[in-house]
């Protein structure tokens, strides 16, 4: 059966993912694809990031011991670096495609006061702007703000707040940057 329409039509493939014994998908809050068509699945299980090739063959896992059971958002940047949000420990972690941790933004297990506007209180996602390397973070559950960091993890500025008016958010859950830096 085909789902979707126009240029976006998809078919369900039963048993596509070929996982080894002991590796399972457990509450998967994020999926992303790198420039080599490898599929990265963010889970809330024992193996937080599972990597498969385009045919569903298992490649590796990484991130064991680095996340809470509240992983939340996954983003693969223009350079194939990976950002993973964890609203349980209030951090954004950056990895290279091999799974080596490059950076962590936020103070682990030390949330900012709820609705304070200060980073982070349960961040939900992050994205990298290709032209500058800046990291944009949706701080969704406890702040309703967007925070911006340099590519080296230095805080730059924030915007937004809780509400329904212009410039306000209600639980922003995702963020992306398009090819025109918007």
């Amino acid at each position: 059966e085909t789902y979707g329409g126009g240029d976006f039509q998809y078919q369900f493939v039963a048993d596509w993912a070929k996982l080894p014994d002991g590796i399972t998908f457990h509450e998967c809050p994020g999926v992303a694809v790198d420039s080599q068509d490898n599929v990265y699945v963010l889970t809330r299980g024992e193996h937080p990031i599972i990597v498969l090739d385009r045919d569903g063959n298992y490649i590796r896992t990484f991130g064991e011991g680095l996340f809470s059971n509240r992983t939340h958002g996954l983003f693969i940047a223009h350079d194939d670096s990976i950002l993973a949000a964890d609203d349980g420990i209030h951090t954004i972690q950056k990895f290279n495609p091999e799974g080596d941790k490059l950076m962590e933004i936020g103070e682990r297990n030390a949330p900012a006061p709820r609705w304070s506007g200060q980073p982070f209180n349960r961040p939900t996602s992050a994205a990298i702007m290709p032209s500058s390397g800046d990291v944009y973070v949706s701080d969704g559950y406890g702040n309703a703000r967007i925070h911006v960091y340099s590519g080296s993890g230095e805080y730059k500025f924030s915007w937004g707040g809780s509400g329904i008016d212009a410039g306000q958010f209600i639980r922003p859950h995702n963020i992306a940057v398009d090819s025109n830096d918007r």
Side-chain angles (χ1 to χ4, degrees):
E1 186 169 343
T2 300
Y3 301 90
D7 291 337
F8 299 97
Q9 295 186 24
Y10 306 93
Q11 291 184 334
F12 173 75
V13 178
D15 300 319
W16 171 81
K18 300 158 193 76
L19 300 177
D21 290 342
I23 307 291
T24 61
F25 295 132
H26 181 77
E27 295 182 8
C28 302
V31 177
V33 179
D34 71 12
S35 66
Q36 304 302 307
D37 288 337
N38 292 314
V39 178
Y40 293 70
V41 181
L42 182 65
T43 76
R44 292 181 175 159
E46 187 177 333
H47 304 283
I49 300 177
I50 299 170
V51 186
L52 308 162
D53 69 16
R54 69 180 302 141
D55 297 317
N57 297 305
Y58 172 83
I59 297 174
R60 70 179 163 282
T61 66
F62 64 90
E64 287 81 0
L66 298 177
F67 295 95
S68 76
N69 64 353
R70 286 292 308 166
T71 56
H72 203 283
L74 186 68
F75 177 83
I76 296 184
H78 62 288
D79 61 359
D80 282 343
S81 62
I82 299 142
L83 295 176
D86 189 324
D87 77 73
I89 58 173
H90 312 281
T91 65
I92 304 297
Q93 295 181 64
K94 182 179 181 181
F95 300 89
N96 66 19
E98 292 74 37
D100 301 315
K101 185 172 169 180
L102 304 175
M103 177 173 65
E104 185 167 323
I105 302 173
E107 191 174 339
R108 187 175 280 256
N109 296 313
R114 192 170 175 86
W115 311 121
S116 68
Q118 300 301 310
F120 298 120
N121 190 303
R122 300 187 65 200
T124 52
S125 192
I128 295 176
M129 183 172 287
S131 65
S132 65
D134 286 351
V135 178
Y136 287 72
V137 179
S138 59
D139 200 3
Y141 280 113
N143 253 333
R145 286 188 50 92
I146 304 299
H147 306 289
V148 182
Y149 287 79
S150 71
S152 61
E154 299 297 318
Y155 174 79
K156 293 179 84 170
F157 62 93
S158 301
W159 80 84
S162 183
I164 60 171
D165 293 325
Q168 296 179 325
F169 303 100
I170 298 175
R171 276 187 235 89
H173 261 59
N174 205 350
I175 191 160
V177 177
D178 72 11
S179 59
N180 294 315
D181 279 353
R182 294 181 289 201

